[in-house]
Amino acid sequence: MGTLLLNPIAFSIGPLAVHWYGLILGTGALMGLLFAIWEGKRFKIPQEFFMDLLLFGVPSAIVGARIYFVAFKWEDYKNNLWDVFKIWNGGIAIYGALIGAIICAMIFVKKRGYNFWRIADICAPSLLVGQLIGRWGNFVNQEAYGGETTETFLRDYLHLPSFIVNQMNVEGIFRHPTFLYESVWNFVGLLLLLVLRRRKFLRAGELFCSYFIWYSIGRFFIEALRTDSLAFQGAAWLASFVNGLWAPMQWIGFEQGYLAPSYGNVRISQLLALLIVVAAVLFIIVRRKTIPNLPHYLDPIVSTKATGIDSATLQMPAPAAKTAAEQDNSTTSAEEAKPLPEPDSTEDKKE
């Protein structure tokens, strides 16, 4: 019988047990922060801005992730409400985390006077960094794995190291390490985003959309391998359509993880991934066609709170925004340079 080889508890401080899951998620968040600060320096955005964003964003992401998961698993929690708060045992959904983080970021960024899409672009690679590291928390907890496979497939076909293969022996059955598949997919996506963000054709908001497109494509194919997917009972044609799109995975030796028919026939994350890809592509096309002078990714980023520049200036491309800012500065300088008015001679005589 296979057992949990890795102790999920890293260390204890008195009665407080510190879990590897939390440490790994924290490491992912910290590395994502460093990536955002590094890129933010190019746009002269203070590092404190990203630190504050992380301070509010992480709790919002955790809450969103847990609410999303519990909402679709309510039958398992309605009689054990205390278990809702035990996130160290796993049970958070990445799409819920993104929803929570995005809502928080939209409010926070607006209050700081920045354009949301410009900041979202900077943070897009950070999201992939956090996810590719965070998935290893599932590895330690021996959760979110895929369907049955063989030791030969893992060792000889995928050439995985022993510490991964051994941990994928769950109760005597070898499982697909879906955490690893997603982590590798996110790493490749990170490299692509780092290259893409230096392309001159890239417009504001498009790197953020590219993140969603890349991640959702990978998630669509990886999700079907899992045995713990959130699902619902959809129309037969919809289930057939989703399974048909996934079919190429069978050509390279993968089989879908078991999904109980009584639970559902359409995996929620797969369907959501498809909708996100379509929505992101349409979003890019529509914005390019309907918004004139859409800023480029490489254009300067300014805050209305810090500079007093109006919102119209923020939407200008770099040359126009720079000219407008220079005009504001020159006007201010000219006003400051004006001599004080001469005292009224009549008043002087009265005095």
Side-chain angles (χ1 to χ4, degrees):
M1 293 287 288
T3 59
L4 181 61
L5 299 179
L6 300 178
N7 187 349
I9 299 177
F11 58 89
S12 297
I13 303 177
L16 178 64
V18 179
H19 290 244
W20 280 112
Y21 190 81
L23 291 176
I24 292 172
L25 290 183
T27 301
L30 177 60
M31 292 303 297
L33 172 64
L34 295 178
F35 263 74
I37 290 175
W38 173 44
E39 180 68 358
K41 288 181 179 178
R42 299 185 64 255
F43 297 96
K44 296 181 173 58
I45 300 176
Q47 67 179 22
E48 291 78 12
F49 170 82
F50 295 105
M51 295 172 68
D52 292 342
L53 179 59
L54 179 69
L55 182 64
F56 290 103
V58 168
S60 300
I62 294 175
V63 171
R66 191 59 170 174
I67 290 175
Y68 185 100
F69 182 86
V70 171
F72 288 104
K73 286 277 195 177
W74 181 241
E75 290 296 320
D76 297 341
Y77 290 95
K78 65 180 182 180
N79 296 323
N80 301 284
L81 295 181
W82 179 245
D83 289 345
V84 170
F85 302 98
K86 297 180 179 179
I87 61 172
W88 52 84
N89 291 331
I92 58 177
I94 186 61
Y95 281 124
L98 291 173
I99 293 171
I102 289 173
I103 292 174
C104 173
M106 292 178 70
I107 297 172
F108 178 83
V109 171
K110 183 178 180 180
K111 286 185 175 294
R112 293 297 180 93
Y114 288 104
N115 179 282
F116 169 75
W117 298 111
R118 305 303 309 279
I119 300 301
D121 280 342
I122 291 178
C123 294
S126 298
L127 293 174
L128 282 176
V129 170
Q131 288 171 254
L132 73 88
I133 295 174
R135 275 301 174 194
W136 286 83
N138 298 135
F139 168 70
V140 174
N141 279 2
Q142 206 176 58
E143 63 184 3
Y145 46 73
E148 296 183 20
T149 186
T150 64
E151 183 177 5
T152 300
F153 180 84
L154 298 177
R155 291 189 187 277
D156 301 333
Y157 186 74
L158 297 183
H159 302 288
L160 299 181
S162 293
F163 78 95
I164 292 180
V165 175
N166 294 338
Q167 185 73 353
M168 286 299 99
N169 182 359
V170 183
E171 297 181 351
I173 299 175
F174 284 94
R175 302 282 185 170
H176 280 288
T178 49
F179 84 92
L180 179 64
Y181 302 157
E182 189 169 318
S183 185
V184 172
W185 179 262
N186 290 337
F187 178 74
V188 176
L190 172 63
L191 298 180
L192 291 176
L193 291 191
L194 294 181
V195 172
L196 184 60
R197 72 182 183 183
R198 292 295 177 262
R199 304 304 95 185
K200 294 181 178 180
F201 63 80
L202 192 68
R203 301 300 183 97
E206 293 179 355
L207 193 72
F208 189 53
C209 289
S210 298
Y211 153 75
F212 272 107
I213 292 172
W214 179 263
Y215 175 74
S216 295
I217 290 174
R219 184 59 184 269
F220 173 81
F221 289 103
I222 295 170
E223 182 66 23
L225 295 173
R226 292 173 57 167
T227 59
D228 62 344
S229 299
L230 300 174
F232 70 98
Q233 196 67 37
W237 67 265
L238 180 59
S240 179
F241 174 72
V242 172
N243 290 333
L245 291 178
W246 191 86
M249 292 288 286
Q250 293 180 309
W251 305 342
I252 55 177
F254 291 90
E255 294 292 338
Q256 290 197 38
Y258 178 72
L259 184 65
S262 59
Y263 184 54
N265 61 350
V266 178
R267 300 170 194 263
I268 294 173
S269 288
Q270 278 194 296
L271 181 60
L272 187 56
L274 291 177
L275 294 176
I276 288 175
V277 171
V278 173
V281 172
L282 290 177
F283 180 79
I284 292 174
I285 295 174
V286 171
R287 286 184 83 227
R288 285 211 172 205
K289 289 184 175 295
T290 59
I291 301 180
N293 298 322
L294 189 64
H296 290 78
Y297 174 87
L298 295 173
D299 288 346
I301 299 177
V302 293
S303 168
T304 56
K305 301 294 184 181
T307 65
I309 298 175
D310 59 27
S311 59
T313 303
L314 288 177
Q315 299 300 323
M316 297 179 183
K322 182 178 180 181
T323 301
E326 290 174 348
Q327 289 176 346
D328 287 343
N329 292 335
S330 62
T331 301
T332 303
S333 300
E335 291 177 350
E336 292 175 349
K338 286 181 180 179
L340 296 174
E342 293 292 334
D344 185 87
S345 58
T346 304
E347 296 296 327
D348 288 345
K349 290 177 182 178
K350 288 182 179 179
E351 292 177 359

